[in-house]
Amino acid sequence: MATIAMDPSLSLQIGRGSNQHGAVPVKEEIQGLIKVYKDGHVERPQIVPYVTPALPPELGVTTKDFVIDNFTNVWARFYVPKSNWKLPLVVYFHGGGFCAGSAAWSCYHEFLGKLAAKAGCLIVSINYRLAPENPLPAAYEDGVKCLMWLKQEALKGSSEWWSKQCNLCSVFLAGDSAGANIAHNVTTRLNSKNLYPLTLKGTILIQPFFGGEARTNSEKNMVQSPRSALSLPASDTYWRLALPCGTNRDHPWCNPLGKGSAKMEEMKLLPTLVCISELDILRDRNLEFCAALGKAGKKVEHVLYKGVGHAFQVLSKSRLSQSRTNEMIARVKAFVNR
């Protein structure tokens, strides 16, 4: 069966514990990304460069970083393309299994700069708190807080450099992998909030990171390269680190279709675009999620990108991945500009 590989420099492997921090054994590890010791100490090697908010001038996108909450150190990176008209606003959450990643990672900075320029949208990329130091629902709470911060900034009119180019009546929540999970769960938490003058129009879920105790066919049978962005053991490790203690992968935050989850029919959900990768272990779970949304009468559309795997749009530089990324950007552009 075909496999999907990331750039060799971003090789990830799963391991449980032989290296030590002093005399303390390792409890959980995804090699190259995160190492958690039994005493609670966490190490995250810098596998991906952190970059400043700067982009090539020819892209025509202005970028700035803003602190959202000094206490939790949550911040956001804004991407504002040059435009003669108001643009849709996309609030974006990066991936990384809730445990790794940053809005300052070079791969996300490059992707979102390109997305803002080519899709014609203003993007706010959220740097939320990470597990295991801050397990779920911390990331969801950060997402809600960021939307409320944007609301207040829009009401005050103190951030004209971005708000004057923003169509506040056309706001979308988006993310990839764990970030897509955050976008979905933040959406459900915003139902009871007054966001005026912001109007939410939809969600964009790219390879959403969901799970469950029962394995899907793609989780059981999808052959993955050692350099794949997401393996089943890595997925399980992320969930052990991110979910509340004493819970399993059928927790509603992980498995929105599980027995303990709210019924889709009863949930207020926005029109949703789901981007799925053919060679991703999450493929079948993503397809099941789309089918459940449709069955519940929700507005949902999905696209299956052939020949590529998890996080191809940010981690792979192959010609095929670049082509599929351009297709994805075109689909997002159509979705946010309806």
Side-chain angles (χ1 to χ4, degrees):
M1 186 178 289
T3 62
I4 180 68
M6 306 170 9
D7 289 347
S9 61
L10 301 179
S11 177
L12 310 180
Q13 295 180 4
I14 187 74
R16 292 189 82 178
S18 56
N19 295 328
Q20 295 190 351
H21 164 60
V24 181
V26 174
K27 180 182 179 182
E28 301 278 8
E29 179 180 8
I30 299 175
Q31 190 173 337
L33 271 180
I34 188 169
K35 188 182 294 185
V36 182
Y37 295 85
K38 285 192 174 179
D39 66 354
H41 177 74
V42 178
E43 293 177 357
R44 293 184 178 86
Q46 191 174 326
I47 190 172
V48 179
Y50 290 78
V51 295
T52 61
L55 288 168
E58 58 270 21
L59 205 58
V61 178
T62 301
T63 55
K64 287 185 182 180
D65 291 344
F66 280 86
V67 174
I68 304 294
D69 189 311
N70 282 301
F71 181 74
T72 57
N73 199 31
V74 173
W75 57 273
R77 180 163 293 182
F78 283 69
Y79 298 80
V80 183
K82 290 180 181 177
S83 176
N84 294 323
W85 53 85
K86 290 184 179 290
L87 302 172
L89 171 63
V90 175
V91 179
Y92 195 93
F93 301 92
H94 66 77
F98 307 103
C99 301
S102 169
W105 268 14
S106 59
C107 54
Y108 279 106
H109 187 59
E110 292 166 9
F111 171 65
L112 294 178
K114 184 177 179 181
L115 179 64
K118 292 197 169 185
C121 56
L122 193 154
I123 297 175
V124 180
S125 177
I126 309 301
N127 201 75
Y128 53 86
R129 289 173 292 170
L130 300 177
E133 301 95 323
N134 301 282
L136 295 175
Y140 306 153
E141 293 168 351
D142 293 344
V144 172
K145 183 171 291 185
C146 288
L147 265 294
M148 301 308 290
W149 182 87
L150 287 168
K151 166 191 170 174
Q152 292 302 323
E153 290 296 300
L155 285 172
K156 288 191 297 185
S158 57
S159 300
E160 283 196 358
W161 77 273
W162 66 266
S163 61
K164 68 181 180 182
Q165 287 190 233
C166 177
N167 181 359
L168 300 175
C169 294
S170 187
V171 181
F172 296 81
L173 301 188
D176 67 289
S177 193
N181 177 298
I182 295 170
H184 171 72
N185 279 286
V186 169
T187 300
T188 63
R189 288 166 175 254
L190 289 172
N191 288 332
S192 60
K193 304 286 186 182
N194 175 14
L195 289 176
Y196 179 84
L198 307 181
T199 303
L200 298 182
K201 289 293 188 179
T203 55
I204 302 161
L205 309 182
I206 302 173
Q207 302 131 3
F209 186 40
F210 295 125
E213 287 298 307
R215 305 297 194 189
T216 64
N217 286 333
S218 61
E219 287 170 344
K220 290 186 292 186
N221 302 320
M222 186 76 70
V223 177
Q224 297 289 296
S225 158
R227 298 194 307 273
S228 293
L230 185 67
S231 66
L232 192 58
S235 172
D236 289 351
T237 300
Y238 284 135
W239 285 119
R240 285 194 298 270
L241 293 174
L243 287 171
C245 290
T247 62
N248 63 22
R249 294 189 308 274
D250 281 332
H251 190 286
W253 296 338
C254 175
N255 186 1
L257 307 183
K259 290 182 179 179
S261 301
K263 293 182 179 179
M264 289 282 187
E265 295 86 348
E266 300 171 358
M267 298 175 69
K268 292 182 180 179
L269 296 175
L270 301 168
T272 303
L273 169 64
V274 184
C275 299
I276 305 170
S277 295
E278 181 187 28
L279 304 182
D280 188 355
I281 62 169
L282 299 178
R283 181 195 64 201
D284 291 351
R285 200 169 289 281
N286 289 174
L287 289 170
E288 289 175 0
F289 176 74
C290 293
L293 286 178
K295 186 177 179 182
K298 309 302 179 184
K299 292 183 180 179
V300 60
E301 55 189 88
H302 76 270
V303 189
L304 182 67
Y305 294 94
K306 302 213 172 204
V308 288
H310 194 76
F312 72 87
Q313 71 284 353
V314 289
L315 294 179
S316 178
K317 299 293 185 183
S318 73
R319 183 175 297 179
L320 176 60
S321 292
Q322 293 301 301
S323 175
R324 294 289 182 263
T325 299
N326 289 332
E327 293 171 14
M328 178 186 290
I329 289 174
R331 190 60 179 258
V332 170
K333 179 179 181 178
F335 186 75
V336 300
N337 285 289
R338 285 177 183 166

